[in-house]
Amino acid sequence: ETKPRIPVIWLHGLECTCCTESFIRSAHPLVKDVVLSMISLDYDDTIMAAAGHQAEEILDEIRETHKGNYILAVEGNPPLRDGGVYCLPGGRPFVDRLKEMASDAQAVIAWGSCASWGCVQAAKPNPTQATPVHEVVTDKPVIKVPGCPPIAEVMTAVVTYILTFERLPELDRHGRPKMFYSQRIHDKCYRRPHFDAGQFVEEWDDEGARKGYCLYKVGCKGPTTYNACSTVRWNEGVSFPIQSGHGCIGCSEKDFWDMGPFYSR
Ligand code: SF4
Ligand code: SF4
Ligand code: F3S
């Protein structure tokens, strides 16, 4: 209780803000406990009260007073084409701000598929040259927490782990925490017995769909998607896309927008 809360700077590049929307719905731990008791969220242009120059000054202040001791959380990515003019928070190219804040951070968290892989902005032909964070920040550990968005409890668990153990979680070769990204959706999907039995939905709303058969033939990417949806699930563990009758579109995988059609029927 007496431990100082670690400062977190949360930057937004090219993104849709739904990673934040997911984060604020964390139930275990409750996001209010994360924000009010565990970390000191000193800058987050989506939910902070300060604005304009007052807000921008916080970035310089944290860099100076907590050099090497703050976490930089990044939602979205920097577009590099034309000098970065397609994302100008505070009137400057986002890529400059990102590099500057990363240079004095302890570690960088890349929230979501935008920051981790590029996501929809980077879909072919990637007109703004949207670029994943790890390709711009190369001198700091970058923890990728992909998903579009990532599961709320996965996001807060990554923060909790760092604070509790005072080290980064073990990462796989792509930089994702192994504890949440070492299994495919397919490995723990409750429809897996139907896959194994050759029972598939052949057309949307057919008899197989009503019986809850496997969605592979209508486009489910669960067999090639690494994420925790079939174990942790969403909305306090209530459900996940496949449980709602929709195949996994592979939203935590690199280049999922270019992987082919989401539906195969
Ligand atoms: Fe939005 Fe998806 Fe990007 Fe998160 S990863 S900011 S949910 S587009
Ligand atoms: Fe695998 Fe998708 Fe079928 Fe589930 S619905 S068993 S993830 S192919
Ligand atoms: Fe995304 Fe597939 Fe989970 S679409 S939310 S990784 S089930």
Side-chain angles (χ1 to χ4, degrees):
E1 283 180 0
T2 54
K3 208 163 121 184
R5 292 182 292 152
I6 188 164
V8 174
I9 299 292
W10 188 313
L11 297 182
H12 296 255
L14 285 189
E15 45 86 352
C16 83
T17 308
C18 279
C19 288
T20 292
E21 290 287 345
S22 180
F23 183 80
I24 62 176
R25 284 163 179 77
S26 175
H28 307 288
L30 273 172
V31 72
K32 81 167 174 57
D33 293 332
V34 176
V35 173
L36 299 177
S37 308
M38 294 164 60
I39 62 172
S40 176
L41 187 57
D42 292 329
Y43 182 99
D44 181 340
D45 37 12
T46 306
I47 57 176
M48 69 198 296
H53 296 299
Q54 189 191 13
E56 299 310 300
E57 281 164 15
I58 297 170
L59 295 176
D60 292 334
E61 189 188 315
I62 295 295
R63 264 185 82 201
E64 276 168 31
T65 53
H66 295 280
K67 215 175 182 52
N69 288 317
Y70 62 88
I71 293 173
L72 181 65
V74 188
E75 182 173 352
N77 56 47
L80 303 186
R81 199 175 304 287
D82 299 330
V85 297
Y86 302 108
C87 187
L88 298 171
R92 296 171 57 212
F94 178 62
V95 65
D96 294 349
R97 169 189 274 198
L98 173 61
K99 285 181 178 170
E100 202 171 84
M101 292 310 296
S103 67
D104 288 320
Q106 179 184 331
V108 178
I109 301 176
W111 289 139
S113 293
C114 287
S116 299
W117 310 123
C119 205
V120 61
Q121 314 81 298
K124 288 178 183 142
N126 191 358
T128 65
Q129 205 185 332
T131 304
V133 168
H134 70 276
E135 289 183 22
V136 173
V137 177
T138 52
D139 59 344
K140 285 278 145 62
V142 176
I143 306 164
K144 294 196 187 93
V145 186
C148 189
I151 299 168
E153 285 76 16
V154 168
M155 299 175 83
T156 50
V158 169
V159 173
T160 305
Y161 185 97
I162 297 171
L163 300 182
T164 306
F165 297 105
E166 296 183 343
R167 63 169 187 262
L168 305 185
E170 197 182 344
L171 306 178
D172 68 9
R173 67 195 170 94
H174 294 297
R176 304 171 294 195
K178 279 186 179 173
M179 57 187 151
F180 296 116
Y181 294 93
S182 60
Q183 289 189 313
R184 291 161 296 193
I185 302 294
H186 187 65
D187 296 334
K188 290 287 165 65
C189 178
Y190 77 102
R191 295 195 191 213
R192 179 65 181 268
H194 293 300
F195 177 92
D196 293 340
Q199 295 170 324
F200 297 100
V201 175
E202 303 283 346
E203 299 283 345
W204 292 107
D205 210 26
D206 66 5
E207 187 63 19
R210 282 187 282 278
K211 286 181 172 167
Y213 285 178
C214 170
L215 297 160
Y216 183 70
K217 288 191 178 177
V218 286
C220 180
K221 309 286 190 300
T224 51
T225 300
Y226 288 82
N227 203 345
C229 306
S230 53
T231 47
V232 177
R233 305 195 184 196
W234 287 78
N235 301 324
E236 298 186 48
V238 169
S239 188
F240 71 116
I242 291 167
Q243 198 172 337
S244 304
H246 193 288
C248 169
I249 60 171
C251 78
S252 54
E253 287 299 307
K254 186 170 184 291
D255 301 331
F256 79 95
W257 285 93
D258 294 325
M259 280 193 314
F262 291 155
Y263 306 103
S264 53
R265 281 288 192 283

